[in-house]
Structures are given as structure tokens and as C-alpha cells.
Amino acid sequence: MGILTTIISIIIEHTVKPVERQVGYLIHYERNFENLRSQLENLHAAKNRMKRMVDEDKRKGKQVHTDVQNWLTEANKMIQEANKLLDDEDHAKTECFCGVCPNLVSYRLSRKSAKLTKKIELHHDKKEFPIVSYNAPLEEICATPSQNYMAFESRISMVKEIMEGLKNPDTNMIGVYGLSGVGKTTLAQEVYRQATKENLFDEVVIVLNVKKYPDFKKKERIQKKFAEKLGMDVDKTQDIEARAKHLWNRIKDKNIFVILDDVWEAIDLEALGLRPMATCKILLTSRDRISEMSMQKEVWLEVLGVEENWSLFEKMAGDVVNNDRIHEVATEIAKKCGGLPVLVGAVARSLRSAATLEEWRVALRDFKSVDKLGLTKSAYLGLEWSYNRLDANELKPLFLLCGIIAGGGCKFFLSDLLKYAMGLSLVKNVDTVEEARDKLISLTKKLIKDYCLLLDTGIDDDGNFRMHELVRDVAIWIASKDKYTFSRAYGDEVKEWPNRDFLKKCSAISLKSCKIPRLPEVPWVCPKLRFFVLESDNVDDSLEIPGNYFEGMNELKVLDVTKLRIPSLPPSLQSLTNLQTLCLDQCVLGDIALVGQLTNLKILSLIHSEVKELPKEIGQLTRLQLLDLTNCSELVMISPGVISSLTSLEDLRMGSFKEWEGGLIDVRSNASVSELKQLRQLTALVIHIPDAKLLPANMFSDTELQRYTVLVGDCWQYPYYYETPSNMLKLKLTTNSQFDQGIKLLLERCEHLDLDGIEAANIISNILASDGRKQLKNLHVQNNDEVTAVINSSHAFPNLESLSLDNLVNLETVCCGQLIAQPFQKLRYLTLRNLPKLIGLSSKGSTSVVSTEAEEIILENEIGGPTILFMNGEVLMPNLTRLILHQCDGLRFLFSFSMATSLVQLTYLQIASCQIMEEILTNIGSNEENTDNIFPKLKHLQLQHLPSLTRFCSGSYVEFPSLELLHLEDCSELGVFIFQSKSENVTVGRQTEETDLQYFLLDEKVGFPRLESLMIYDMPKLRTMWHHQLAPDSFRKLKKVEVLRCHSLINIFAPSMMGRLNALDTLKIRQCKSLQVVFEQTYDTSTTQLRTFECPNMDYVVMDSCESLKNVFPASVAKGLQQLKVLIVWKCGILGEIVAKEGVETTPEFVFSKVTLVQFQYLPQLRSFYPGLHVSKWPSLKTLVFVECFQVEILTSEYSIFQERLDSGLVCTPIKQPFLLVDKGNPFPNMETLALDVNTEIWYEAYGPLLAELFRNLKSICFSCAHPQSFHFLKNLHNLEVLIVYGGPWKEIFVYEGTSSGEIDAVGRTLPHVKNLRLNKMEELMHLGIGNDNSESVFPNLEILEVYHCGRLKNLTSSAISFHRLTTLHVGGCEGLKYLIAYSVAKCLHQLKWLEVEDCESMIEIVASNGNEEDSGNNEIAFSCLQHFRVFNLPSLQGFCSSGNCTIRVPSLNSLIVEKCLIELKISPDGSLIQSSLRPERQQITEEVEEKKKEDDANETGGKQLIAHTN
């Protein structure tokens, strides 16, 4: 029966139902078409909506995702198909009306409509895309040719030649040379485009305008530009060497091409982090061949040929040159340009508007004078001709001004240009600063667009314009000959001043960052001088302005003095009655009251200057329009009434001043904010008011501020940038009344808003209800206990790019209610800190419980449900790049899987101190576990101090395709990084309860194909970091590993990491108590051979405080460390060897060709570098240090000799193995610093090589004199600069031939370069040297002498030491010394700056007299350079010098400290040292000399402060 039932159902399935379906097409004909029309309408609406979103994003420069484009394409096809079907249906009705068979037609159409309806419905359901578009990587502007670019054949062939060179593996340096303006930069840009197009390299970087900078500035500039273009964060705290290392680590594993444009002199590329090689190719352009930089290929760029010259001229001049009458003249003018592109462009563009033959003929006549000149002169005259076509009233003087003020890279600041142009009245028909600024921008754009005299780069982020270097030189040349301008290019040296005749005609002087000699004492007579810029290259230079310097400059309009120390302004400044602009930027200033005499002044700038007071005289500047006090951090006093007196002020910048006072003017000693209300003309303001109570009511109600940065409250830091890019408000208001109409007016145009304190909620509500929310781009809210949400259901911030919420203790959600639109479409940065009640980004869709009594709404999350910050698609952030989450203790999870997938632009994720955070990604609340495309661009992941975190997420495999840095710290419960519920892995905590130890962290379920830095800190349960199975492509780019305080860790690299460490360069392991080995090796089960690691690029290794560590490297690893530079091993208690033995290899060879620094400190069990016969080579080693490695008895020996002694078998006693065995010859050719333990001998053989041969370049040595012949170490060390000797039985150090001891000359005159001598813990030492009076000094150039704990030392006097150059003398713990130095020695200490004596119990006096000097009549000892003198714990000290009438002069002393002594010392008004009589008790006297002596504090010590303490 069961079989029969089955058969019947099959028959029905295959016969009855198909028939029924076909008949249904006829029965439901009308319904099918109605459904089609309905679905078509829905699809049409969805398509239009999607297209609008796509079009909007395209207008914003974004790229549309492929799946979105495909959806739109498919939707269009379906719409066309449906429309055609509907047309067919209408036609069928007509045919049916005419009698054609209806059933067959209706059946076919109905069937098509039903199928198409289903297809449309399915497509419509796919319309929701988490993200429509994305921000494409920013490309260089030069990646797209400018509209003026022309691909000339001569240039195309040259580009091909260069490209062929780039493809040659033996070519890594290419030089392109040519005249200024010939097109080198244009060619470099075309090579950049071609290299990018052909995908020859992983990355192509171009750095334009390297220019002629001082060496240190040039390196720093190139490094920063290079790092920025590679997308790296530039750490301003790092030095050049550290940045170079980071740059090299970034590029060394990639195929990279670097273009350096406009190089003027040789550059040390390796110092920058660039090493020319097959995978790192360099192209540089320069005017001249740079012989110091060896090139494999050189290309000389010639001027354009006749045809190409004309083609460019024709394009730039326009159609006018095709006029038959003009054409011939135009071709002649084009020839005069000589094929120099910059000249062709300027001349042709200037003639673009010349429509008559007469104008062209005039131009040709002007050019005939340049026929016989060289090309450079022709270029000058040609550009001068273009200049002559400028408008004489505004453009000509503006162009010349741009040229003479152009700084490094031929850039000039818009802000400087504004101050100068207003002072010179160059900008016509303007009444205000704001109008002048707008007009100035317009004029500069004319010079760019209409005349090609400025570069078409627009205003950059710093407010800079740029001009071509040749054009700058021409501008200076024209200004010099036509306007009698004296100007030098940025950074040049001024070798001589102009003569008197020139100065009488001179109209402008501009010296920007120049090396300037001493200014002439005789004042210049410059009756026509209107513009003077004097900028030193260093504020610490001693350049001074004579008091009468400005007497002959009565017509001066603009004066800019930058980077000078000016204790008092020169009196002649007040003679400048016509001065309009005065800039005293980056100066160290004293009293500036004299400025108040300049009553015609319109602009006063003191940017970055050290000035303490703005005196009342400044209030006389009633015509002042712009006052710039930016970053005057020392300014603490502005006389009351000064600001309110400046009634013409339009632009006030004083954000660094915070000493505002309240109250009436007659009771105040400082400025009041209320004074600003008197400034009716104010349109631009930068101000910081530290207390809102100082803010007058409706302060900003009557102002018309167009640009502003206003900080109110003591919690804000002044922005570091000079001109804020947008209107900025930072408010900490304490009462509702302070949030007045004036503040509300500022909020309407505010783009950057920071809020603090109790009024934050009120301000947010106000701005949400106004149009101001549409302007806001950056919002930061902190320190408020009332804000529960930032965005409500009906309003949002549509243009918000950055949101930061900090310490909002009652914030529950960022968005509350059902949002009308997505509020975070443009958000790029999100920071959430200390939000203990935060349970979600949005309350949308949360189940609520309403209490009828309290009307309280409680989200389900608050009563036990899981708290996830980013739920499934509730709030989209398609452009989010940076997310920081700190101290959000109400969150258990961070993302749902779908939300994580939507964050396609996220590059930086940091989560820290969230106490209950269990998992970063979770599928709780949904069945999803799709881990594809999670965080596709994430580069930086940091998880810190998360005590409940058990895993990152669950899944079978998660890949982080772009992650470069992973930092895990103090996540004590973290088990395996990616957890799979069905996994058999043994992990910790909530994942399983089988063990309380973490066996591994990273396994095959996580992929890190690009990971470069791995930092693991404070993971106490972690046993090993890597599982025995890993994802195939993971960790192969790992460059840096740091592990700290992982006390259960037993190894660093498990066997599964073999073959993955080729890129590793830095390894730092600290405080891992259980660590036994760094590399855990295993044997191959099939071959029984030992499997080994390779670390060919390792260059920096630190092992610190690993108590169980047995060794650092296996021998196989050590032999491959060709790039190692630094090896530091500290405090590893049982470490007996650095390199461990492997197998039965007898004599391995270790070549450390690049090691420069080796430090072994506090290693009590260390005996040898390698426990057996070996050979090591150290050709680059500069520093070798041993500290408390007491088992190291012999530093080194020659391998062959040591082996012979072993093989001979004649030695009865065991042979001590040296720490190192080396080859014959010089194993340490570059050693500069050597420090050895007290019991370590340097060489094994008694008759081994002399130290001078072994360490011929040694500059510093620290060793023990415990061995009787130790002084032989010093023989002939001609380069020694620092000598440190400690311990041992020596009684004398330097003994000379002919002395009573009969000893031979032990050291002789062999150490002329030693500047620093330190003797320590030499308990038997009695004399520094014994010799006759004719003995020459062993240390003729000694500058620093330090002697410590030499208890039997009798005196320091020795003919071995010359004291003439001594700058520092420090003696301590020498109980046998009764005096420090003899009188004769004291008379020689003219250079001594620092003198300290302590803990010398027997010392009676500092300077002893031999009795002969008192009769000489000159008993004055002058320590003319002494700045610091300290004596401490000298209980027997009776005086400084025993000579009764001896005078001790100390004119430069600024620190005198006397502690635990029985005498008092002080300084007299004439700078002499005065001593009091002995006192019965010990007293400490500290005397300090103030840098500036104030008359009202002057006393018997000459204005010096005396502080006494009785002990």
C-alpha cells in the first residue's frame, strides 16, 4: 500500500501539477500583469533612489562598489524587458479585439509576465547594500597630466629610455640633468605616470622640490614627505635615524621606485632609509651632475626642438597664432624662447589676449635684444617680458613681492603675503583685512592661470603658494635692477652689504633665513626703502641691531625682523613714522613699549616670540587692523585698556594668552575679555578664555565674526596649527546664562565644536534644533553627567566627520529613537572614552519597558540582554577609518558580523579598559557567522586591559587582509584568538574548562598575510604564541615582535613559524620568567634531520630579565644573521651561552658583518659566546660592553693558536676558553668602545697582538687594572678619547723613565686625543704619575677628569696631566686627599666650568699654596668660566685657599652649593668668592645666581639669592 501511494504521488507531481500550472497562466492573466506593473514600479523607485545615492557619491569623489553598479545595470535591463512586455500586452489586446486567437497569445504573455515578475521581485530584494561607495586611495596630482601637458617625441623617447633602465636589474640609480625650466619636473612626473601604469613596482613615490636645504632640514623634509606618501604616520618625536629605520622596514620587502625631483647637492640616501638596489630604484633630477652620487644611468634633458617649441607655444597662445597675418611674427617670437618650456609657457600665455598684428610686432621688437644672449639670459629676459605685460598697479608689485619673500621650496605663506601687501598698499580698492585677503587670493590666482608665473598647485594645507625656482630668480633679478632691491635666496649667505649709492636708491631688502654677518654700526641711509625683511637662520646667533640702525629709513612701510634676540628695541625704531607693518616673529624680546610710538601701524605680528608683556603704550596704535600674538607662550601681561583702545582692529589672534581678569579697569592689572566688545570692526578672532565667568554677557552678539577660534575653559589645549582650517568653538560653560545669544550666533557657523561640563547637553539640544548642525564637521563632548544621547530621532549632523565622546557617565546611546536618515555617512573618526553606561550606538529597535509611575524607558540591554555597540545595520558608517573605545564598561561585545563587514574603510581599531568586554565580534542575536570581508582595510588593531575578553570572535576562519600591527596587552582570559565551538583546541576560561593555562594564541583559524608588528604584553597564562598549524600565508611579513611580562611563556617561535621569519628585523623579549628558548626546534620525522629557522633580516635583538633562558640563538640561526646590528642581553640568570650548539658540527663560523653594538650585562653564568671551537667575525662592531659577567675570564683569542694548545695535550691545567675565537689579523677593525669586567683579560696569549693593532680605532675603553701589566693595553692607542680605569693594585698610573723607581716609560706621550679620564675604586692608588719637571704631558688635551673612591690618593697634581683645557673636575670618596689642587694648577684652570668635591673626609682646603706665590704680588686666582661649584660632606674643610690674601674670582658662577661643611661661602658683588670663619655646627648653604638681577632684590651678595639650611 505504501508503494502504491508513493507511485500515485509521483504521477500527480509530474502530470497533474504541470497542467494546472499552465492553465493558471490563462486564468490569472490579468493578475500576473498587475503584479508585473506593481513590481516594476517598486524596482523603478529603488533604482532611482540607488542612482541618486551613486551620483551623489561620485560627485564627492568616491568609488562605487562593483556589486552596486552591477545591480543598477541589471535593474535597467529588467525595466527595459518589462516595458517591452507591457507594450506587447497592449498590442495583444488590440489584436484580440480584431479577432486574432486570444488564448495562445494570452498564455505566452502571461507566462512571461509571471516569470519576469518573480525575477524583478528577487532583484528588488537585493537592493539593500550596507555600503554603496568607498573612498579610493588618494593619488598624486601628477598621476593625471595637466591640461597643458604635451607629449613631445623628444620627451617620449627619453621616458622610454628611462623605463628601459628601470627594467634593467643592474640599474638602480638614474640621474636626469638639465637647465632650470627645461622640464625636468614634468619629465619626472611622466615617468611616475608610466611606472604606475605599467605596474613595474609595488609602490611608486615622487617627492618634488627637494631643493637646497641645510643638510639636516633636507633629510627631515624628504623623510617626512616620503613617509606621508607611503601612508605612514610621521612620528615627530623620532630622530632621523629612527625614522630611517622605520622607512626601510616599510619598503625593504617590496619592489619600490622613488623619484627625487630638483636635488641640488649629494644626499645620503641610506641615512634617509633608502638603499639603492634591485628592489629599490632611485631617479633624481638636478640642474648639474652630482658626482658624489654614483649613477648607473644618466640622461641629459635638452631644450625643445623648433617644431616642439612651436607646438607648445601654439597651444599656450591659443587660436590667435593661426591668423595669417600674425602667424609669421608668432613663430619668430616662439623661436626667441629658445625651447625652454617655462619661458615658452609664460610668453605665449601673456600674448594670448593680443589680437592685433601691431601688438605682436611690438613683442617681437622687444625680443630681438635677446638673440645673441645665452639661454639662461634669454630665459631671464623672456620672463621679464612676461612680467612687463602684468598690470602695473597690483600684479607687477605683487609678483616681485612673491619672488623676494619666497622661502624654502620657493614657497610663501598667504598670511605673510597679506601682512606685507597691506603694509605696502599693494591691494587696491579694499577697505578691510578680510577684503584684502579675498582680493589677494584672487590676484595670485591670476598670476597662476593667466600668466603661468606661479605654479598651478593652489593653496596647500599650510596656506602656501609656490613659484618655479627660475621664475623666483627672475623676480629677484628684476626687483634688483628696476626697484633697487637687495635680496638673497632662502638660506643663502650674505657675504657683503650693498654700497652707499645702492642703498640710497634701495626700495626693498629681503633676507629670508640667511646667514647674516654683523650689521654695520654706522646707520644706513636708505631714504627710499619701503620694505625690509631681516630673518636670521638661528635665533641663538649673536646678531645685534645697533640702536641707530633705522635712522635713515624714514619711508619704511614694512619691517619684518625674525629669529633675533632683542633685549631692548633700538631707539631708532621710533623714527619709522610711516611704518604700516611690523613683524617681530620668533624673537626673544624684552620691553616693546617703543612700538607704541608707531601710531600709523596697521599690522603688528609677534608670532612665536618670547615676550612677557604687552605694555600700555601699545594702546596708542589706534589704526592697528591686525594683531597677531599666535603662540606667544610667555605673554602673561597685557595692560588694562590696551585691547579696547585698538578700535580699528579687525583681526585679533591671541589664543595663547590666558591671563584674563574681570572687574573694572581701575582695579585690574591685566586685560579683560570685556575689552573686546569695544572692537566694533572685528571680523576674525582667535582667543582662549580660561574661565567662563570672565565671559561678559552677550559677548559675541554684536560682532560680525567671519573666521574664529574661540576657546572658553581651562581644559582646552590651543590648536598646534597656525591658522585653524575652520571656525572652531571649544566651550566649558558653567551656567545656562553663559550660553547666550552671542554663543548661539557662533554655533550657527561653527565647523569644529568641543564641549565640556554641565551645559553640554543644553548646547547640543540647541544646535540640533538649528541649521548650525549642517555646518558641523567635528564634535567632541566631555565631562558631563546629564547627556544620555547625542543625536535624537529627528535631527542629526549630516556633515559630521569626527565624533569624540569622553567621560559622559550617563550616556546610554549615541543615537536615540527611530532615525529618519543615517547620521554618520561622512563620519571618519569615532572616539568613545569612559562611557560606563553606554549600551549601544542606537536605541533603534530596542525593546522597551515603560514604567507608568516614573514614565521611565528601560532598554532590554539594561536588564540582562547582551550589550553590543554596533548592531546589525542599525547605524551605518561607510567612511569610518578610525575607532577608539576606552573604558566603556557596559559593553560585552563590540560588533555584529554584518556591521563589521560594512566597515570597509576602517584602518585603526583600539579597544582598551572595557571591564566586561568578552568578544569583539559576536553572532548573538542572529544566526550569522559570515566572516568574509571583515575589516578589509584594517591596519592597526590594539586590544588592551580587557580582563573578560576570551576571544576576538568565533568562526572557522577569519582573515585580516591588511592588518600590519597587532597589539595585545593585559587580556588575561584571552584564549585562542579565533574560537571555533567545535574545535578540539584547548583554551582558557569560558571556552573550555579542561585547563587553566593557555596553550597557544594564534592558529590556522586566523590569517594575517600582511602583519608586520606583533606586540604581546602581560599575558600571564600564555604558554606559547603559535599553534603547530597556521594559515599558509600568515606571518610571512612579520618584521617586529615584542613580548613583555608573559611569565608562563616557554618559547617565542614554535616550529610552525619556520620559514615565516624572513622579514623579521626586530625582536624584543623582556621579563618572561619561564622562557627557556627563543626558537623551539624539532627534528623532521621522515629524515631525522634537525629543522631550523632562518632570520636573514634580523637587525635588532634585546633579551632582558628572562630568568630561565638558556641561550639566545641556535647556531643555525646565528650563522644567518647577516643584517644584525644590535644585540643586547641583560639579567638572564642562568644564561650560559649566546649561541647554542646543534648536532655534531665541530667548528662553525659566525659572520656578523653589520653588528655595531653588543651589550652583555648582569649575566652571572655567561661563559662563552658559543660552547666550543668556533670562529666569529665582527668587521663593523663599534661598541662591546660587559657588565657583571663574572664568568667571562678572557675576551678573545686567535682560533688557530687556541686550537694548537688544545691539540698539543701538553697543558696540565684546564684551558680557559675565551669568550670569542677569531681569525688572524684584525678581527675588530671598527671597534670604538670597549668595556670589560674586573676579572676579564682581553687576549689569551701572553705575547698576543698589541691592543693598538687589535683595536686600532678604539675611542673609549673601560677596563680594570687588576692585572699587573694592564697598562700595556694603552700602548699606542692614538685615537683614544675616553679612558676609564677601575679596580686593581696600582700605586701609580704613569711612571716615567729616569724616576727614582727605575721603571721604564710605560705609557709615554701616546694619548694626545684623550679628553675624558675617569679613575674609580683604585684603593692602592697614591699618585696619578711620578716624573721629573721636564716630562711631557700624557694628556695634553684633557677636558674632563673624574676620580672616585681612591682612598689613598695624596694629590691630583701630575706632570702626566695638562689642566689647561680642563672644563670638568669631579672628585669623590678620596679620603686621603688633604687638598684638591696646587696653587700653580689652579692658576691654569681658565676653561673650568664645573667643579664638584664630595665625601673627602681629610680635605682641608681646595687650593693649596706651596708658599712661593704669596710674595709674587699677584695672589688672584680667576676661574673665569666656572659656572657650577659644589662641595659636599667635607667635614675637615677650613677654606678654599690657605693664602691669606688670595682672591678667588668667579665672574660666571651661577650655582654655588655648600653642604655638610663647617664653612660658609658666598659671592661678593664684584664676583669674588668670600669665606666666613669656621662655625661650630655643620650648615648647608645653597646659593644660586639668578640670570637677571633685579635692583629691588640687590643685597650684599650682589643681587644673588641665598638659601641656608642647618643640618
Side-chain angles (χ1 to χ4, degrees), residues 1125-1162:
K1125 294 179 181 177
V1126 175
L1127 174 60
I1128 299 173
V1129 187
W1130 282 25
K1131 299 179 183 178
C1132 298
I1134 70 169
L1135 186 94
E1137 62 214 21
I1138 303 301
V1139 178
K1141 256 188 175 181
E1142 288 178 336
V1144 294
E1145 185 176 11
T1146 54
T1147 309
E1149 181 177 272
F1150 305 106
V1151 180
F1152 301 104
S1153 56
K1154 295 187 177 181
V1155 170
T1156 59
L1157 170 66
V1158 175
Q1159 286 186 7
F1160 300 129
Q1161 300 193 31
Y1162 314 111

Side-chain angles (χ1 to χ4, degrees), residues 146-150 152 186 304 308-322 330 334 337 340-354 360 385-386 389 447-456:
S146 74
Q147 60 181 4
N148 295 327
Y149 174 73
M150 297 186 68
F152 297 118
T186 303
L304 297 174
E308 292 177 344
N309 182 79
W310 169 250
S311 296
L312 179 60
F313 190 94
E314 184 181 28
K315 179 176 180 179
M316 301 299 285
D319 293 338
V320 66
V321 298
N322 295 320
C337 295
L340 204 62
V342 68
L343 181 57
V344 174
V347 171
R349 187 61 66 88
S350 297
L351 286 166
R352 194 178 183 92
S353 59
W360 284 85
W385 181 86
S386 294
R389 293 186 62 82
L447 290 175
I448 294 171
K449 300 292 184 183
D450 297 348
Y451 297 96
C452 291
L453 292 174
L454 296 182
L455 293 180
D456 191 6

Side-chain angles (χ1 to χ4, degrees), residues 69 87 178 190 290 450 497 645 867 1001 1066 1129 1166 1299 1308 1341:
Q69 292 175 330
D87 289 342
E190 179 59 22
I290 303 175
D450 297 348
W497 297 110
S645 299
T867 51
L1001 178 66
T1066 300
V1129 187
L1166 181 65
T1299 62
N1341 296 302

